[in-house]
Amino acid sequence: MYRFLLTRQWVILTLIGLVLIPVMIELGFWQLHRHENRVARNERIGKALDAPPVPAERLTSPGREVPDSAVYRAVTAKGTYDAKHEVVVRRRTNGDDEVGFHVLTPFVLDDGKVLLVNRGWIPADGPQTAFPKIPAPPRGEVTVTGRLMRDETSAASGIKDVRGLPDRQIMLISSGQQAHALGKQVLGGYVQQTAPSADSPQLLGAPDHSGIGPHMAYAVQWWLFAAGVPAGWVVLVRRERKDRLAAAETAPAEPAEASPATA
């Protein structure tokens, strides 16, 4: 009755189904883990944004990578801006997806160390090869407040660190590169300024940590697909059996062989 399952076509189809089921189940768990990571990330960002500000040097130091628990944490620092060594970060967009620059200004602390401060976004009004006009930072000793961020990398951002750019232009914010350029001790990571000053660049908004993305829905979809494979296999088997039985019933009977008496 089911001998057709031993044919090459059905053996191949069955093997494909047996392979697809665990693959789809694993893809579902992969999406589930992405969902869990997103939820944990949102909780971590929320806690960091709600925490009271602390001195920047309490969370980072020269040559040190900013830990996950400190990213987006509000920090403060007292010192003076070094506008002479200010650089701009190319191809950055604002909330309206307009292309421009981020303004990265060294901030010299009282102990001589440097904290990189991203003062915000400015439009690219002129040619990309020209250094843009930037609102000057406050003079004299000031206190800066902002969100502590990790050094940018090509792997994490997808931005290629192009070399040979025009003077005072960079692609990625790297405390190590700026330490080499300045010849000073630079604290790891950088700060996104949040306290505005008069005529300052457009401040960067806080990260969105409310959405959880579609990963849970994708996980359920993969598991439904995995459950659908055996169900579909059963439907196909029953249909094949029904078609074969119908074909057997409608097939013409073979003519009987003539007997020797009538030959």
Side-chain angles (χ1 to χ4, degrees):
M1 186 179 299
Y2 292 99
R3 291 181 60 85
F4 61 86
L5 293 176
L6 299 178
T7 62
R8 179 180 179 183
Q9 174 185 354
W10 275 96
V11 169
I12 294 175
L13 182 63
T14 302
L15 290 176
I16 292 175
L18 292 175
V19 171
L20 287 177
I21 291 173
V23 170
M24 291 178 177
I25 292 175
E26 183 63 28
L27 287 172
F29 279 111
W30 173 60
Q31 290 291 347
L32 176 63
H33 294 155
R34 295 188 68 185
H35 167 79
E36 293 172 342
N37 290 337
R38 182 68 176 267
V39 171
R41 173 182 176 273
N42 288 346
E43 293 178 353
R44 184 172 64 250
I45 293 175
K47 290 180 180 179
L49 293 176
D50 294 338
V54 297
E57 287 189 277
R58 185 181 297 181
L59 300 178
T60 182
S61 58
R64 176 185 175 188
E65 181 178 350
V66 177
D68 288 342
S69 59
V71 176
Y72 296 115
R73 180 71 185 272
V75 295
T76 60
K78 182 181 291 186
T80 56
Y81 282 106
D82 180 10
K84 181 180 178 181
H85 296 98
E86 196 167 53
V87 298
V88 293
V89 191
R90 291 166 57 97
R91 300 177 186 174
R92 298 304 169 102
T93 57
N94 64 358
D96 297 323
D97 289 331
E98 297 175 316
V99 180
F101 301 92
H102 283 180
V103 180
L104 189 67
T105 310
F107 190 75
V108 183
L109 307 179
D110 293 339
D111 59 4
K113 297 185 181 71
V114 173
L115 175 67
L116 300 177
V117 177
N118 186 341
R119 296 201 292 126
W121 179 90
I122 59 172
D125 294 332
Q128 289 284 324
T129 55
F131 192 76
K133 184 178 180 180
I134 302 173
R139 294 185 178 181
E141 187 173 71
V142 296
T143 298
V144 65
T145 303
R147 294 181 290 268
L148 184 62
M149 304 295 295
R150 181 177 289 150
D151 284 332
E152 296 178 342
T153 63
S154 295
S157 66
I159 301 174
K160 186 177 180 180
D161 193 10
V162 179
R163 303 293 180 174
L165 296 175
D167 188 36
R168 298 175 65 187
Q169 295 190 24
I170 60 176
M171 294 298 298
L172 296 170
I173 302 177
S174 168
S175 59
Q177 291 181 6
Q178 293 305 307
H180 178 74
L182 296 171
K184 295 182 178 180
Q185 287 187 310
V186 178
L187 301 183
Y190 65 99
V191 169
Q192 284 183 354
Q193 185 177 351
T194 56
S197 58
D199 195 27
S200 67
Q202 179 180 329
L203 296 179
L204 305 179
D208 179 16
H209 59 289
S210 59
I212 59 175
H215 305 300
M216 177 58 76
Y218 290 160
V220 173
Q221 286 180 357
W222 280 119
W223 291 332
L224 289 176
F225 291 157
V229 170
W233 184 87
V234 171
V235 170
L236 291 176
V237 168
R238 289 182 175 180
R239 182 179 300 174
E240 178 76 7
R241 178 177 179 273
K242 181 179 179 181
D243 291 344
R244 288 175 176 267
L245 289 176
E249 291 176 357
T250 58
E254 295 183 1
E257 294 184 0
S259 62
T262 60

